Amino acid sequence: MELRDEVYREMALLRDRMPDVDGSVACSVDGILIASDLNGNAEQTGALSSAVLALSSRMTGIAGKGVLEETLISGSNGYAAFYAAGPKIVLTVLARPGTNLGLLRLEGRKTAASVAAITERMSANH
């Protein structure tokens, strides 16, 4: 199975666990799209996600707050949560207004960890 297919499967599992999720995008830290279950703007979302992750990681370091766990953007129409899925992948999760943020954080981190494990396993096999 390809990386894209396995990551997409993790995105589907996230949606099953969290019905308030509108979609997800996984991209490389360089902004190259790996997988998406968004209806549109996947390429642009991926590119911006890599920039958000880079800025958030830098800010966390400068502020002396340790290793970045997530970045959450709250808008009038919902949320965008960004997770480092290992050293090479960014997972972005878009959710509706009223989403349980504690659950989003928990499930987002769990999905990011699964994506990181898939990437590591596939890298070791090639």
Side-chain angles (χ1 to χ4, degrees), residues 13-14 25-26 28 33 44 46 52 60-61 65-66 69 74-75 77-78 81 88 103 105-108 112 114:
L13 291 171
L14 173 63
V25 173
S28 71
L33 186 66
Q44 189 174 19
V52 168
T60 304
K65 299 300 179 188
E69 293 181 354
S74 176
N77 290 325
K88 298 179 183 179
L103 186 59
R105 293 180 73 206
L106 180 72
E107 293 295 342
S114 295

Side-chain angles (χ1 to χ4, degrees), residues 7 9-21 23-24 69-70 72 81-85 91-95 99-116:
V7 171
R9 188 181 66 205
E10 290 300 322
M11 291 174 172
L13 291 171
L14 173 63
R15 272 196 186 206
D16 288 345
R17 293 188 307 262
M18 288 210 62
D20 287 336
V21 167
S24 305
E69 293 181 354
E70 70 198 10
L72 178 68
F82 305 84
Y83 303 90
L91 175 68
T92 301
V93 180
L94 305 179
T99 296
N100 178 327
L101 294 181
L103 186 59
L104 177 63
R105 293 180 73 206
L106 180 72
E107 293 295 342
R109 287 181 188 179
K110 181 177 178 180
T111 302
S114 295
V115 169

